[in-house]
Amino acid sequence: MTTFEQFAFQAPLYSKLQVPDDLVLRAILNDRRSVKVDGHCPYCNKTSTFSNSSYSNLNLAVTENQNKLKQALGYNSLQITCARDDRHVLRFWYLLLKDTVEKVGQHPSLADIANDEAATYRSVLNKSDAAELHKAIGLAAHGVGIGSFVYLRRIFERLVYG
């Protein structure tokens, strides 16, 4: 994961990522410049463009002579706002260390966003397969990829073999 889109819309909670040289991620984490990213808006239920609307450093002791990266070290929060409706806000909390960033919170959850995206597939699934798809997405959102794969495999087996 090297871009902010991947960090925001794909990374499960508590996964540590190396802070890359990616300008978008660095801009949001360090420089606080206005950046636009694309992702699924769970409120519009469509792919939308988001821009960072708020940034806060949750550290209490920051001295003026530290550089920008040192100022940003520790727990931080970030809000991105949907371009379609400024009331549609996604919030992220992360821990920024010297060379890693760890997502420690997100609202709405990654599972909520992914389940909204997968709603189109539910129309072709029966009730039990739709429930298993929901479980698979929830497991993947919590970093349990193999559990997610088991549910997806069962769905595909039933679709292929009838």
Side-chain angles (χ1 to χ4, degrees), residues 6-89:
Q6 292 171 325
F7 176 75
F9 296 102
Q10 296 174 9
L13 291 180
Y14 308 112
S15 58
K16 288 187 180 180
L17 309 169
Q18 291 295 318
V19 176
D21 291 331
D22 178 74
L23 296 176
V24 173
L25 186 58
R26 283 208 175 271
I28 289 174
L29 297 181
N30 301 328
D31 299 336
R32 303 176 200 153
R33 288 182 292 221
S34 178
V35 175
K36 299 198 181 311
V37 294
D38 292 326
H40 180 78
C41 178
Y43 305 107
C44 297
N45 210 7
K46 296 178 181 177
T47 299
S48 185
T49 301
F50 290 86
S51 60
N52 57 329
S53 56
S54 172
Y55 174 94
S56 67
N57 185 312
L58 303 178
N59 291 333
L60 298 177
V62 176
T63 61
E64 288 182 29
N65 61 356
Q66 292 175 314
N67 66 30
K68 288 182 182 180
L69 181 60
K70 286 184 182 175
Q71 287 178 0
L73 291 179
Y75 290 98
N76 296 277
S77 68
L78 173 72
Q79 286 187 163
I80 57 175
T81 304
C82 177
R84 295 176 189 273
D85 188 336
D86 60 357
R87 294 173 295 169
H88 299 173
V89 177

Side-chain angles (χ1 to χ4, degrees), residues 153-162:
R153 180 179 173 200
R154 290 173 57 175
I155 294 167
F156 281 111
E157 283 177 349
R158 283 193 289 265
L159 289 172
V160 171
Y161 298 117

Side-chain angles (χ1 to χ4, degrees), residues 62-129:
V62 176
T63 61
E64 288 182 29
N65 61 356
Q66 292 175 314
N67 66 30
K68 288 182 182 180
L69 181 60
K70 286 184 182 175
Q71 287 178 0
L73 291 179
Y75 290 98
N76 296 277
S77 68
L78 173 72
Q79 286 187 163
I80 57 175
T81 304
C82 177
R84 295 176 189 273
D85 188 336
D86 60 357
R87 294 173 295 169
H88 299 173
V89 177
L90 305 182
R91 292 174 179 83
F92 302 94
W93 293 269
Y94 58 92
L95 174 61
L96 182 63
L97 299 174
K98 197 179 214 178
D99 58 350
T100 61
V101 61
E102 179 180 3
K103 187 194 299 184
V104 295
Q106 176 176 345
H107 184 266
S109 72
L110 188 58
D112 291 338
I113 294 170
N115 274 316
D116 284 345
E117 273 185 294
T120 57
Y121 304 114
R122 286 194 182 87
S123 64
V124 297
L125 298 175
N126 63 36
K127 193 173 184 176
S128 66
D129 286 345

